[in-house]
Amino acid sequence: MVHIADIKSIVIESGLFQTLDEQVESDMPLQLDSFSLIWLIEQLESRYRISIDYRTLDLEHFSTIRRIHQLVLDKLGAGQP
């Protein structure tokens, strides 16, 4: 199972988001540039063995940690109860 804390760790440990720390809230808006978005997609694909087509994705999926978490759950088929 993918926990939101796992997604938060990936984002924080990346070092791409200098303003984020362990206290970041799951619904706090993230400011992604193209490099950090591609890096994050590659990390998620590798860790969770999912495929995210960056050419057709909705950037809203990467606007907060909670939305990234939901995207991963949806890709794993676990997004709906």
Side-chain angles (χ1 to χ4, degrees), residues 7-55:
I7 303 299
K8 183 177 174 179
S9 291
I10 293 170
V11 171
I12 291 171
E13 291 171 6
S14 71
L16 295 172
F17 308 95
Q18 298 298 324
T19 59
L20 298 183
D21 59 22
E22 292 295 325
Q23 303 303 316
V24 67
E25 297 294 323
S26 297
D27 293 316
M28 180 182 148
L30 298 176
Q31 301 299 318
L32 298 169
D33 60 22
S34 57
F35 175 76
S36 56
L37 178 62
I38 296 299
W39 181 90
L40 183 56
I41 289 171
E42 288 178 356
Q43 292 300 306
L44 296 171
E45 288 179 328
S46 176
R47 180 173 284 188
Y48 298 111
R49 301 180 195 271
I50 58 176
S51 178
I52 301 170
D53 186 351
Y54 67 89
R55 296 167 296 187

Side-chain angles (χ1 to χ4, degrees), residues 1 26 29 37 55 57 68 71:
M1 170 152 241
S26 297
L37 178 62
R55 296 167 296 187
L57 71 94
I68 296 168
L71 173 67

